[in-house]
Amino acid sequence: VDNVQLDISDIHIRYEDSFSDAAHPFAIGVMLSKLTSQSTDTTWRPAFVENQKVLHKLSAMEGLSVYVDSDQLQPQDPSEPLLG
């Protein structure tokens, strides 16, 4: 676990609700372009680490956005944006 490196890109999580109030469906979502995390030495340079009492991890996020779409209809094609 000390040297696990994480590199995830193009994340889109969306929740659509048309049941709570059928007259006013809504969607909420989070998008993230990139998430990275890696082990570093004590000077915060990426490195392979062994037998350290304190573990240093450097993490970064790029392109974080959160949205709420109210009164939205579900699109015909999932790749098309919602129109309200």
Side-chain angles (χ1 to χ4, degrees), residues 1-5 37-41 44-49 55-58:
V1 175
D2 291 349
N3 290 293
V4 170
Q5 184 171 337
S37 183
Q38 57 188 324
S39 298
T40 67
D41 60 18
W44 297 101
R45 293 188 188 131
F48 185 86
V49 295
L55 184 62
H56 296 85
K57 292 281 188 180
L58 185 60

Side-chain angles (χ1 to χ4, degrees), residues 12-34:
H12 185 180
I13 300 170
R14 179 181 176 91
Y15 171 75
E16 297 179 0
D17 186 331
S18 59
F19 301 105
S20 297
D21 184 351
H24 301 285
F26 70 93
I28 59 175
V30 176
M31 297 188 314
L32 184 61
S33 295
K34 190 170 186 177

Side-chain angles (χ1 to χ4, degrees), residues 50-55:
E50 292 183 288
N51 303 323
Q52 290 188 345
K53 290 183 180 181
V54 177
L55 184 62

Side-chain angles (χ1 to χ4, degrees), residues 65-80:
S65 60
V66 177
Y67 63 88
V68 177
D69 291 331
S70 59
D71 291 332
Q72 295 297 308
L73 301 175
Q74 189 168 2
Q76 298 295 326
D77 180 352
S79 66
E80 293 180 15

